[in-house]
Amino acid sequence: MRGKRLYFLPLVALLTLLFVWNIRPRVVDNNISQYNDTYKNCKKKTKIGFLKTHKCASSSIQNILMRFATNNSLNVVLPSQGNYLGRYIKYTRSMISNTPWELAGMEYDIFCLHTIWNQGEVSNTLGPGATYFTMLRDPVDLFESLWNYASFNTYYHISLEEFAFVPKTGLFSQRAFKNLGRNQMLWDMGLTSKQMDNYTAVEQMIREAEQNFHLVLIAERFEESMILMKDLLCWDYRDILNLKLNARDASHKSQLSIAARHALEDYLAADYRLYNHFKQRFEERVQEFGNQRMENELDIFRHANGNMKEKCGLEATRNAKLKGEQRLWGTGLIGYHFENSTDDPICRYMAMSENSFLDLLRREQEEKTRHKLLGNQVKKQDVLENLVKTQDVLEDLPTDKINVEQLKKVLGAV
């Protein structure tokens, strides 16, 4: 009996220690470095293809990817100017053929600009081993946002409420500015206007999206999408800190009647098939991830985001009041004012407009290109010098054992 007590007492002590440890007060350090997931046993993925769909909170994700590229010295697929890689036609690698980085033979890590998706060409540009994902949004909400962002009223000369009911013939059957309009998400994925009412073609595009993308995010569940993206890429919380970019001022949102919304739902039926399919897939991914685990990670993510906004002194500001690299393209938008009160570059990058960030990336890649070409020139000079030394040595070799003249010809052709 005494022996059993001796075993029992240490067990009680251990359980008591574990209990006290679990109920201890947790002090959270405001240092952002705490959000690095050092416990992970996977390696961060750095080769990424992101289909930037229109008005699907995709600018926020693009900013995350561009920051990651800058912080890790990665190369982004960039045109020589602008923010599109195929505005009216599908992307092909030839679209970047005149850029310094392509001419220098640079390898690419991230694809994240607006495009008409072409899986084969994007894969050819990034090379093997890339991870692909995109984001979708409720089609009517997307269309309303796109209408006001791109000023469709100046193209169709009617209000969105009126457009919902007008017969879609003539001008109203056309895409605004040739690339924006009906079923925008399917258009961005590569479906043509003529195929929008073709049930088989739409279903085929959905199947292709299943095959092409490792993850399809949902804009209405943005925070959960960030957690799933972080998990897919084996990233840290710091990597996914973000602001809501290109958000609109309330005065620039259209108020639709219930009838108009229903009419637009019919008009956008193909996009709804795509959206509803991946909305269900997204819910399955969340369930697989685990509800409790998701809640825990969301708490940390929200805390990290709040800390960063406070640390950077970022304030939501009407775009009309912003200047320089913080000024967004478009009207009626909300941007962020950043006071340069910290040395952490993430503050500047988070508040930076898309076009300003792309110009920054171009300057960085031009510098990389110069270093690459300079390095190649140095290597070429080294080869030539070694060639001269080798030929001098060959002169002293016995000609009966080696064909000196033949070897000189081979070396001279190198």
Side-chain angles (χ1 to χ4, degrees), residues 77-80 84-86 89-99 101-103 108 111 118 120-122 124-125:
V77 184
L78 296 172
S80 57
Y84 271 82
L85 283 166
I89 60 175
K90 288 186 177 183
Y91 167 77
T92 63
R93 189 165 183 169
S94 62
M95 292 176 179
I96 60 172
S97 61
N98 66 334
T99 62
W101 33 94
E102 180 73 354
L103 293 172
Y108 303 102
F111 188 107
N118 185 337
E121 285 292 307
V122 175
N124 174 56
T125 305

Side-chain angles (χ1 to χ4, degrees), residues 140 161 164-165 255-266:
V140 170
E161 180 80 15
F165 300 108
Q255 299 300 319
L256 289 170
S257 66
I258 295 176
R261 187 173 183 91
H262 288 331
L264 288 174
E265 287 173 355
D266 292 339

Side-chain angles (χ1 to χ4, degrees), residues 243-291:
L243 299 172
K244 188 177 181 181
L245 298 177
N246 278 357
R248 289 173 296 151
D249 184 275
S251 63
H252 284 75
K253 296 181 181 180
S254 298
Q255 299 300 319
L256 289 170
S257 66
I258 295 176
R261 187 173 183 91
H262 288 331
L264 288 174
E265 287 173 355
D266 292 339
Y267 175 63
L268 304 171
D271 251 3
Y272 267 108
R273 280 159 56 195
L274 173 74
Y275 173 75
N276 289 333
H277 175 89
F278 283 105
K279 185 179 179 182
Q280 177 61 37
R281 285 284 188 270
F282 183 86
E283 182 58 41
E284 292 170 2
R285 294 291 289 262
V286 171
Q287 294 301 317
E288 291 171 4
F289 190 82
N291 290 328

Side-chain angles (χ1 to χ4, degrees), residues 15 25 64 135 159 161 171 175 202 242 254 273 378 384 388:
L15 291 173
I64 290 172
M135 178 169 271
S159 69
E161 180 80 15
L171 175 68
R175 302 194 73 79
V202 172
N242 69 88
S254 298
R273 280 159 56 195
V378 171
L384 292 174
V388 172

Side-chain angles (χ1 to χ4, degrees), residues 86-358:
R87 185 187 294 264
Y88 308 111
I89 60 175
K90 288 186 177 183
Y91 167 77
T92 63
R93 189 165 183 169
S94 62
M95 292 176 179
I96 60 172
S97 61
N98 66 334
T99 62
W101 33 94
E102 180 73 354
L103 293 172
M106 187 176 286
E107 295 183 358
Y108 303 102
D109 304 290
I110 294 178
F111 188 107
C112 64
L113 273 68
H114 275 310
T115 188
I116 297 179
W117 193 254
N118 185 337
Q119 181 68 30
E121 285 292 307
V122 175
S123 178
N124 174 56
T125 305
L126 291 177
T131 301
Y132 296 96
F133 64 95
T134 187
M135 178 169 271
L136 304 180
R137 182 184 182 185
D138 179 273
V140 170
D141 292 338
L142 183 157
F143 191 79
E144 182 275 327
S145 179
L146 192 60
W147 181 283
N148 289 287
Y149 180 79
S151 301
F152 279 14
N153 60 306
T154 63
Y155 185 86
Y156 295 114
H157 306 292
I158 57 175
S159 69
L160 177 56
E161 180 80 15
E162 294 170 319
F163 180 86
F165 300 108
V166 73
K168 304 304 185 289
T169 58
L171 175 68
F172 305 117
S173 67
Q174 300 173 13
R175 302 194 73 79
F177 315 111
K178 297 183 180 180
N179 70 313
L180 302 174
R182 186 187 184 201
N183 298 322
Q184 189 65 47
M185 294 182 291
L186 283 167
W187 171 270
D188 290 342
M189 286 189 174
L191 198 69
T192 66
S193 294
K194 294 180 179 179
Q195 296 173 307
M196 295 296 179
D197 294 311
N198 184 324
Y199 183 90
T200 302
V202 172
E203 288 299 308
Q204 177 61 28
M205 182 60 69
I206 293 174
R207 286 194 294 271
E208 289 181 12
E210 282 273 17
Q211 297 170 359
N212 293 337
F213 299 107
H214 296 91
L215 179 64
V216 176
L217 309 173
I218 299 297
E220 289 81 5
R221 300 176 69 175
F222 186 83
E223 290 184 325
E224 292 164 294
S225 292
M226 292 302 92
I227 299 302
L228 292 182
M229 184 185 80
K230 180 179 78 72
D231 185 66
L232 174 70
L233 300 176
C234 192
W235 283 10
D236 303 324
Y237 291 102
R238 181 180 173 86
D239 297 321
I240 63 170
L241 298 177
N242 69 88
L243 299 172
K244 188 177 181 181
L245 298 177
N246 278 357
R248 289 173 296 151
D249 184 275
S251 63
H252 284 75
K253 296 181 181 180
S254 298
Q255 299 300 319
L256 289 170
S257 66
I258 295 176
R261 187 173 183 91
H262 288 331
L264 288 174
E265 287 173 355
D266 292 339
Y267 175 63
L268 304 171
D271 251 3
Y272 267 108
R273 280 159 56 195
L274 173 74
Y275 173 75
N276 289 333
H277 175 89
F278 283 105
K279 185 179 179 182
Q280 177 61 37
R281 285 284 188 270
F282 183 86
E283 182 58 41
E284 292 170 2
R285 294 291 289 262
V286 171
Q287 294 301 317
E288 291 171 4
F289 190 82
N291 290 328
Q292 188 56 57
R293 180 185 173 194
M294 177 63 75
E295 285 303 314
N296 292 341
E297 296 219 14
L298 285 173
D299 285 343
I300 300 172
F301 175 50
R302 289 164 183 159
H303 189 271
N305 245 357
N307 276 353
M308 180 53 69
K309 290 178 184 178
E310 182 178 353
K311 173 184 176 181
C312 294
L314 292 163
E315 295 182 4
T317 307
R318 292 193 178 205
N319 190 42
K321 295 182 179 180
L322 296 173
K323 298 178 181 179
E325 65 184 25
Q326 298 169 11
R327 182 72 178 262
L328 305 171
W329 183 91
T331 59
L333 301 175
I334 299 295
Y336 292 88
H337 177 65
F338 157 59
E339 290 289 350
N340 190 19
S341 58
T342 175
D343 293 331
D344 194 335
I346 191 175
C347 300
R348 176 193 174 199
Y349 296 153
M350 287 181 73
M352 190 178 287
S353 70
E354 175 188 3
N355 289 333
S356 296
F357 214 142
L358 290 174

